[in-house]
Amino acid sequence: NLCNGHEAALERVQGITNCELQFMNADILDSNTLDKVFNNFKPEAVIHFAGLKAVSESVADPLKYYEVNVGGSISLLKTMSKAKCNNIVFSSSATVYGDPQYLPYDEEHSTNPVNPYGRTKLMIENIINDWITTDSKRRGTILRYFNPVGAHESGQIGEEPIGTPNNLMPYIAQVADGRREYLNIFGNDYDTADGTGARDYIHVVDLALAHIGALNQNKLNKFEILNVGAGKSTTVLELLKKFEETSGVTINFKYLPRRDGDLAAFWADSSKAFEKIDWQPERNIKKICEDTWCWHKLNPTGYGPK
Ligand code: UD1
């Protein structure tokens, strides 16, 4: 419904792919419209990306998160049931694991999300699991994303958060392009190589390819959960240095206390995805920084006004 997106991005996707896309501006909670879309297009499968994803907002307004994320998924699954559309790939998050009992996280790691956003993701995973068991033809693939970053290498599509970025990469890029004065680094006393938080950053194009893998597979079980990460962690300072090298711009920063709810470090064991969907990430941190910087240089104001 474009509440956090831009129609211009779709036009650019058409340019890159040379494919005509059909777009319907509708809310996932509007079942009548969803039914019409399914009647018109008769999709074989759904990749379900429609959700809210800001952790702090989910703490401030949990009901909105349960309504849109959980309610929206139920609405979608009801429509899929009516339309006999039996295959869903769902965007979940590594945030469902919570405090690491061991690292890297594999899919067997216990789940204990620590905020409403994470709890909505876990609930939806369980709802999909219950939904597929009621019909032998149904399939559900859960992709647990680690930290998606980067942009398409054409520089035509990328991340343009509305307002102040919550996440690290868009913030670094906005300091580099002069929109913000300095980066706040939340904590330098973690038990990591340099004291700053460490995450598993995955190029958004590699992440996109995992979805294609999840659709064009035959080794997956009826219900499958797959981690989608690069399999190694990078600290805030390491990412900042790599971005400086790539852009040639000095990125000023200040240390602030730890951000509430942040973990020190985590990264993925994605070997199950390698095995089940023949997928491997191919774009490293350098490529992530190059593509992010290219997107920012070509689009200093993002997609422009809505
Ligand atoms: C966050 C969410 C996660 C969600 C993901 C979506 C939280 C606690 N977690 O992950 O649930 O799935 O975004 O992409 O919000 N950092 C700074 N300065 C900044 C921003 C971040 O130092 O201005 C640090 C953080 O402390 C962390 C690292 O950078 O160590 C990555 O932060 P971020 O990009 O927000 O991702 P996550 O917190 O891992």
Side-chain angles (χ1 to χ4, degrees):
N1 67 358
L2 298 178
C3 73
N4 199 24
H6 303 260
E7 200 160 354
L10 293 170
E11 284 151 25
R12 292 179 181 198
V13 172
Q14 302 196 61
I16 293 168
T17 57
N18 212 13
C19 275
E20 200 189 318
L21 292 178
Q22 303 204 39
F23 170 60
M24 186 84 156
N25 189 347
D27 195 293
I28 195 171
L29 287 160
D30 175 358
S31 349
N32 288 337
T33 307
L34 275 192
D35 286 346
K36 278 189 208 137
V37 170
F38 276 68
N39 286 335
N40 286 345
F41 292 96
K42 308 213 176 335
E44 280 169 35
V46 170
I47 303 179
H48 175 21
F49 298 112
L52 301 172
K53 63 140 230 167
V55 173
S56 53
E57 188 188 40
S58 82
V59 174
D61 195 351
L63 296 184
K64 181 169 158 193
Y65 272 66
Y66 289 109
E67 182 177 30
V68 174
N69 289 5
V70 180
S73 299
I74 292 171
S75 154
L76 174 63
L77 291 169
K78 279 184 170 170
T79 295
M80 287 178 69
S81 306
K82 277 189 249 170
K84 303 211 177 331
C85 177
N86 290 319
N87 192 358
I88 184 162
V89 176
F90 173 60
S91 311
S92 188
S93 166
T95 203
V96 299
Y97 293 118
D99 235 346
Q101 307 303 305
Y102 56 84
L103 284 168
Y105 291 127
D106 57 25
E107 293 85 353
E108 304 303 314
H109 189 284
S110 54
T111 49
N112 183 24
V114 295
N115 52 60
Y117 161 71
R119 283 190 276 275
T120 67
K121 289 290 176 188
L122 189 57
M123 280 180 193
I124 300 162
E125 291 188 3
N126 289 329
I127 291 169
I128 291 173
N129 195 3
D130 289 337
W131 178 76
I132 59 113
T133 52
T134 57
D135 187 320
S136 63
K137 292 189 282 307
R138 289 185 184 152
R139 310 175 70 92
T141 309
I142 308 299
L143 300 182
R144 288 183 177 158
Y145 298 4
F146 281 67
N147 286 57
V149 284
H152 190 263
E153 64 184 355
S154 63
Q156 288 298 299
I157 45 174
E159 188 175 7
E160 175 58 17
I162 292 166
T164 310
N166 293 309
N167 299 117
L168 179 62
M169 192 57 157
Y171 210 112
I172 288 181
Q174 291 193 9
V175 177
D177 73 17
R179 272 192 272 178
R180 297 187 190 272
E181 221 180 315
Y182 55 87
L183 171 73
N184 295 309
I185 299 185
F186 301 131
N188 63 345
D189 56 353
Y190 284 113
D191 184 15
T192 58
D194 55 30
T196 63
R199 294 290 182 273
D200 183 333
Y201 296 99
I202 173 93
H203 194 295
V204 67
V205 173
D206 281 327
L207 180 69
L209 290 170
H211 295 73
I212 309 296
L215 285 174
N216 298 332
Q217 47 66 36
N218 47 25
K219 285 187 253 172
L220 287 178
N221 290 319
K222 196 172 156 51
F223 181 75
E224 203 83 74
I225 297 178
L226 302 174
N227 282 342
V228 188
K232 59 178 182 203
S233 71
T234 304
T235 67
V236 174
L237 281 178
E238 285 165 351
L239 190 63
L240 183 146
K241 292 286 164 228
K242 193 56 86 179
F243 207 94
E244 285 187 330
E245 275 167 42
T246 305
S247 62
V249 178
T250 303
I251 295 162
N252 296 319
F253 65 88
K254 285 188 184 166
Y255 287 120
L256 255 65
R258 294 177 178 193
R259 184 170 68 177
D260 262 3
D262 264 357
L263 297 168
F266 61 83
W267 64 98
D269 174 347
S270 295
S271 49
K272 194 172 166 199
F274 303 163
E275 178 207 326
K276 294 260 181 175
I277 57 172
D278 299 324
W279 170 87
Q280 295 228 44
E282 281 167 7
R283 294 157 183 85
N284 60 17
I285 292 286
K286 182 166 181 279
K287 175 77 174 149
I288 284 171
C289 292
E290 284 167 3
D291 291 344
T292 305
W293 187 229
C294 174
W295 152 251
H296 273 257
K297 273 192 308 187
L298 290 178
N299 304 272
T301 57
Y303 295 103
K306 277 220 215 189

